[in-house]
Amino acid sequence: MRVLPMGPTAVLVEELDAPPAVVGEAVRRLGLAGVVDIVPAAETLLITVDRQEAVDTVVAALPAAEHRESDQGDTRPVEIPVVYDGDDLAEVAERSGLSTADVIERHAGATFRVAFCGFSPGFAYLDGLPPELHLARRATPRTRVPAGSVAIAAGFSAVYPTASPGGWHLIGRTDVVLFDVRAEPPARLTPGTSVRFVPR
């Protein structure tokens, strides 16, 4: 573990032995005084506090949080129904050396976990994509990807919560609403949440 100061009231944690989202949730459950925000990313964790004195408390708690067993309570995955008819499904199959049926089977057979959120409100990066489906982003991004598009890129899968530009490979679509400003929380998928895709 490597801890870097980010100004007087924040630290960036690198080189973790556990997924940043899991460590972040462990820190959150400790209920440390002064913690304002915990933001996991692909390989780092940013923790901000409301006063400089709280930084030392957070840093001292990190080793235990890093090795604390996950306690997610109800760990049943969020199930997302998918119609696997994405514009890039055939290309993904060809580049992976698989049939389209194999691509669907592997994607739907995996259990994903939200590693972190970003890019746009409600956009969750889902870790757990089978290695044979790891493909670099498209060389030319689309100017508009429809809301509900199920996609893959690198080692992640995701669902576009709103229409936006995007460079991921589209393999399907869902009607599930993943971001609603009137809901609490607005994002259906938060760091640490388990997810499974169900073909329909």
Side-chain angles (χ1 to χ4, degrees), residues 39-199:
V39 183
E43 298 179 356
T44 61
L45 180 68
L46 178 69
I47 304 173
T48 58
V49 295
D50 61 7
R51 55 187 181 278
Q52 190 170 4
E53 296 77 16
V55 171
D56 290 341
T57 302
V58 168
V59 171
L62 282 170
E66 182 181 26
H67 297 99
R68 182 172 178 173
E69 290 188 10
S70 177
D71 180 14
Q72 299 291 330
D74 184 355
T75 57
R76 289 176 296 180
V78 173
E79 293 190 347
I80 298 178
V82 180
V83 176
Y84 283 98
D85 62 356
D87 290 347
D88 301 322
L89 182 60
E91 180 183 349
V92 167
E94 180 180 356
R95 292 180 58 184
S96 302
L98 302 168
S99 67
T100 56
D102 288 336
V103 171
I104 294 168
E105 180 181 6
R106 283 164 170 75
H107 188 262
T111 298
F112 295 88
R113 173 177 286 192
V114 179
F116 59 100
C117 297
F119 172 61
S120 67
F123 191 100
Y125 289 76
L126 305 175
D127 195 14
L129 187 69
E132 57 269 33
L133 298 181
H134 288 200
L135 298 176
R137 291 166 51 92
R138 292 174 54 85
T140 304
R142 291 178 169 89
T143 57
R144 185 180 187 279
V145 174
S149 295
V150 178
I152 61 173
F156 296 102
S157 188
V159 179
Y160 282 78
T162 55
S164 68
W168 292 33
H169 304 279
L170 309 184
I171 62 172
R173 56 190 165 88
T174 182
D175 294 330
V176 173
V177 176
L178 294 178
F179 185 78
D180 182 352
V181 294
R182 298 163 297 183
E184 184 53 47
R188 175 83 180 273
L189 303 180
T190 56
T193 303
S194 294
V195 177
R196 288 187 65 91
F197 293 98
V198 180

